[in-house]
Structures are given as C-alpha cells and as structure tokens.
Amino acid sequence: NSFCTLLRSTMALDGLSVDQISRVHHVMITVGEMAADRGYLVAEEWCPKRLDEFRTRFVPTGAAIEREKMMLYCRHEKSNEGLFVFFNGDASVNTQKVKDYAQHARNEGAKTVILVTEGKLNPPTKKYVETLARSDVQPITMQVFHEDDLVVNITKHELVPQHIPLSDAEAKEVLEAFALKMSMLPRILQRDPIAQYFGMRKGQMFRIMRKSETAGEYTTYRQVV
C-alpha cells in the first residue's frame, strides 16, 4: 500500500535514505544533460542510469556519497575546449577548495568549471570565484550551482518554452535580417535559471520557440543582460 511505499522510500540504507541518494543521482543526471545541451560530449557511461548502479559506484559504504568521484571532464564538440564539473559535499565551501578546483582545471588546460555544492559558499569564497575570470595567470569561468537547483532539469518543464542559445554569428544574422540592434530586443537576466543552465554571457542571444494554439509555433528573441 501507499504507506509501505512511503516507508521504503524514506528508510535508511546503511545511514543514508533512498531519497537522499536518489536526489544526488538526479542532480548528476541534470548536470550531464546541461553539459550536453551546451555542446559538450559527455561519455554515456559517466552517469549511471539506474539508482542501484549509482549507489554501487558512489555510495559504496552507504554512509556518505563520494561526490569527488562524480567529477566530469569533457570537451566541446566544436571548439574542443575542456569543461570540468566538480561536486562538493561540504557544509561550507572555503576558498582553498575553490583554488584547488581552479588549479586542477588549469593543469588540464580547461577554461570552464562548473561547481555543484551541497553547502554554501562563504562570502570571501564568492568574491574569489568572481576574480577567477579576471585572473592574469589563466582566466577561469566558474559557475556555482547548489544541488537544490539541479534536482530537476528546468528546461524540461512543460511551462518553459524551448530556448536555443545563438552563436555570435547567428545573432548577427538575426539582427541584420530584422534590421534590429541588440539593445532593441527583450531582455533576459544572466542570473535567470535558464540563462544559468546554458552558461550564457551578457550580450548573447536566445532564440525562443513558443507553442501557440493559433499559430502552432512562433519565434521570439531575447538578449542576455
């Protein structure tokens, strides 16, 4: 019955509940989809499809999820640039940990890092993350996501229209075709969850495909600010 189902879903598995493990598994799935949607080639075997496989690989003792082992490294299908994704389970992520992640990426020649955290970044660490992109050594673009924001893939929600990031060349073609300036387009904030998902920068453009009962489908464009 429903009570037994609920009991099974919340009962502890050697210290961690099924729900706790399933939650992080879903986060990992979303991260893989996010990287792929950005054009990165993610190895199929990186993320286990089944929960029992995830538990075997990343929760071997049952007491804790070994997030460090969930690290992802992949390359972009067009530019061949590398992307690192690090998972951190600390209650508070300190600056030294972020420095270690950035250095690891630099050692491999990667310029983009996604950090997925269970805890929060303290204020000094947040400021340090912002300075990485302006570094004189080797600039690193680091995005930080909290696990809570990745349990569900926002782009798959039925109320969210399809967002397609455009390259600079594609955006230029759109502006020329409609005799527009970028500043004339409706805006979407860089901190918007959809813009965050695709790693959009200010000055870039989205093509948005919306469904309509009368028109079938219509297209709009937005600038990232």
Side-chain angles (χ1 to χ4, degrees):
N1 57 32
S2 59
F3 175 77
C4 291
T5 301
L6 177 63
L7 184 62
R8 284 196 301 270
S9 68
T10 56
M11 67 185 295
L13 284 177
D14 299 327
L16 287 175
S17 71
V18 175
D19 285 349
Q20 287 174 305
I21 298 172
S22 177
R23 174 180 171 277
V24 179
H25 182 217
H26 280 291
V27 169
M28 190 177 189
I29 291 171
T30 299
V31 167
E33 293 170 343
M34 180 168 65
D37 286 342
R38 294 185 184 192
Y40 290 93
L41 300 172
V42 181
E44 188 174 346
E45 63 272 15
W46 170 71
C47 180
K49 290 183 171 61
R50 301 203 327 250
L51 182 60
D52 60 332
E53 295 173 345
F54 176 84
R55 187 189 177 206
T56 299
R57 282 175 56 183
F58 303 111
V59 202
T61 66
I65 299 171
E66 298 181 353
R67 287 173 171 81
E68 296 79 11
K69 293 183 178 179
M70 293 164 55
M71 183 190 76
L72 168 66
Y73 176 69
C74 52
R75 289 188 174 276
H76 198 277
E77 60 183 344
K78 293 182 179 178
S79 67
N80 201 39
E81 290 187 359
L83 164 71
F84 268 103
V85 181
F86 299 102
F87 295 82
N88 185 289
D90 298 339
S92 178
V93 185
N94 60 43
T95 303
Q96 185 56 53
K97 198 72 174 180
V98 172
K99 287 182 178 179
D100 292 342
Y101 292 141
Q103 190 57 50
H104 190 110
R106 288 191 179 105
N107 291 343
E108 298 297 329
K111 299 179 181 179
T112 306
V113 172
I114 293 174
L115 174 58
V116 182
T117 67
E118 182 185 26
K120 303 291 185 181
L121 270 65
N122 57 45
T125 304
K126 286 183 179 179
K127 287 186 177 181
Y128 178 75
V129 169
E130 294 172 0
T131 66
L132 285 172
R134 304 190 298 271
S135 173
D136 294 330
V137 182
Q138 181 183 331
I140 295 284
T141 299
M142 180 178 288
Q143 261 191 299
V144 181
F145 289 90
H146 193 273
E147 287 182 354
D148 289 346
D149 298 324
L150 297 174
V151 175
V152 176
N153 186 334
I154 189 174
T155 66
K156 294 188 175 183
H157 194 286
E158 61 180 4
L159 297 180
V160 177
Q162 183 182 13
H163 286 64
I164 304 171
L166 300 185
S167 66
D168 292 343
E170 290 170 331
K172 183 179 179 181
E173 287 181 7
V174 169
L175 295 177
E176 291 178 349
F178 294 100
L180 295 171
K181 293 182 179 179
M182 183 71 82
S183 59
M184 299 168 69
L185 294 178
R187 300 177 177 184
I188 181 171
L189 297 178
Q190 187 184 29
R191 64 174 180 269
D192 184 278
I194 290 291
Q196 288 284 302
Y197 178 90
F198 286 103
M200 298 292 279
R201 304 186 309 274
K202 291 181 180 179
Q204 290 189 301
M205 185 191 296
F206 270 124
R207 174 183 288 126
I208 303 173
M209 313 294 289
R210 298 180 184 274
K211 293 181 180 179
S212 167
E213 293 182 0
T214 55
E217 189 174 67
Y218 67 96
T219 303
T220 58
Y221 297 90
R222 284 184 181 270
Q223 59 167 317
V224 180
V225 297

